[in-house]
Amino acid sequence: MIDAPPAQAPAAAASTPRRGAPPAARDGGSGGVLAWGGWGIWRAVRLPPLHLPPLPPVAGSLSGRSVVDVLAEEHRELLALLGAGAGSARRRRDLLDVLAASASRHLCAERQYLYPAVRAALPDGAALAAREVAAGHEILISLRDRADVAGALRRHVDATAALLDRLAGAVTVEDLVRLGSRVEVAEEAAPTRPHPGAPATPPWNKVVDPALGTLDRLRDAVTGRPTSAKMLTRRYANRLF
C-alpha cells in the first residue's frame, strides 16, 4: 500500500502575514507598504511619490527637457512675479515670499549643475561661472534683507540666456537634456529661503542645499508660507484683497 503524500497548505496561506513578521513589507506594487501595527494587524501605508529624472534615451529618442527650456521657463516665471500687482500688505508679503522661494531654488540648481557645466565646456567658463555665482550671491542677500531685486534679477535673466546660448553650441543635445533633468531634480530638494552663507560650489552645496531645503519646507509647512505661484493663486482665487 502506497502512502498518500502529505497535504500541502493552500498557496494563499504562504502570503498571510505572521505574528513577529518584519515591520514593513511591500504590498505588491500598489505604491505603498504593509506596516506591522501590532496585535496581529497589518495596515497599508502609502508612500509619497518619488521625483526622479526621466529615463535614459531609448532607441535614439530623448526623454526630458533641455536645460535651456527649463531655465527659460523659470526666468519667465520670475519676471512675472516681479511684474505682479501689489494689492494689500498681506499680498505684497506673500509675493515676496514666493519670489524668494522661487529664486532661491532656481539659483541653487544653477550653482549645482549649470555653472560646473559652463566651467567644463567653455574656454572662459571658469571666469563666467565665478561672475554669475557672485551675482547670485548678491541676489540672495537682497532677498534675505527684503531689498529690491528687480534690476539684479533682470540682469541675471539676460546673462544666463547668453550663457545658455554659448553652452548649447558647445555640448550635445543629450548633454543639455541630461543637465535639464538634473536641474529639475535639484530644485525638488533645494532651499525655499535665501541662504547667502551656504556653500556655492560642488561638492558641498550638493550636500548642504538639500539639508537646508528640508528645514525650510518644515518651517513653511508650520507657518503656512506660500512658496510657489500656484499656491499664491489658490490663496487669492476667491479674495478681493
Side-chain angles (χ1 to χ4, degrees):
M1 179 177 180
I2 300 177
D3 294 334
Q8 296 182 355
S15 62
T16 303
R18 304 189 310 274
R19 185 181 300 274
R26 290 288 174 184
D27 69 346
S30 64
V33 297
L34 294 176
W36 183 250
W39 300 99
I41 300 174
W42 288 68
R43 57 189 179 88
V45 178
R46 182 163 297 279
L47 296 175
L50 295 178
H51 298 282
L52 300 176
L55 294 174
V58 178
S61 64
L62 292 176
S63 177
R65 295 192 297 161
S66 165
V67 66
V68 177
D69 296 331
V70 171
L71 295 182
E73 180 182 354
E74 293 178 1
H75 288 157
R76 289 191 295 270
E77 292 173 354
L78 290 173
L79 294 178
L81 287 171
L82 288 177
S88 66
R90 177 178 178 178
R91 190 169 188 273
R92 287 197 299 271
R93 182 194 66 199
D94 288 345
L95 275 170
L96 288 175
D97 285 337
V98 171
L99 179 62
S102 300
S104 296
R105 289 190 298 261
H106 175 81
L107 293 172
C108 284
E110 287 182 334
R111 295 194 302 188
Q112 286 185 29
Y113 291 105
L114 175 62
Y115 301 140
V118 168
R119 291 187 187 98
L122 301 180
D124 55 345
L128 292 173
R131 181 191 70 189
E132 294 309 312
V133 168
H137 181 261
E138 294 301 318
I139 292 175
L140 291 174
I141 291 176
S142 297
L143 289 170
R144 180 197 62 189
D145 297 340
R146 298 282 185 164
D148 182 28
V149 295
L153 274 179
R154 291 191 176 96
R155 180 253 160 219
H156 167 79
V157 168
D158 293 339
T160 306
L163 206 58
L164 289 170
D165 284 342
R166 293 192 57 189
L167 185 65
V171 302
T172 65
V173 175
E174 289 80 3
D175 287 333
L176 293 175
V177 171
R178 190 177 301 113
L179 196 58
S181 297
R182 291 176 178 174
V183 164
E184 289 183 311
V185 172
E187 290 190 5
E188 293 283 348
T192 62
R193 297 168 186 261
H195 298 279
T201 55
W204 292 112
N205 60 345
K206 294 183 180 181
V207 176
V208 174
D209 284 350
L212 292 174
T214 299
L215 294 176
D216 285 350
R217 286 187 292 277
L218 179 60
R219 291 176 62 190
D220 295 338
V222 171
T223 61
R225 173 178 178 259
T227 57
S228 70
K230 290 182 179 179
M231 294 177 66
L232 200 62
T233 300
R234 288 196 300 267
R235 174 168 292 186
Y236 290 95
N238 298 316
R239 294 184 181 180
L240 301 177
F241 57 90

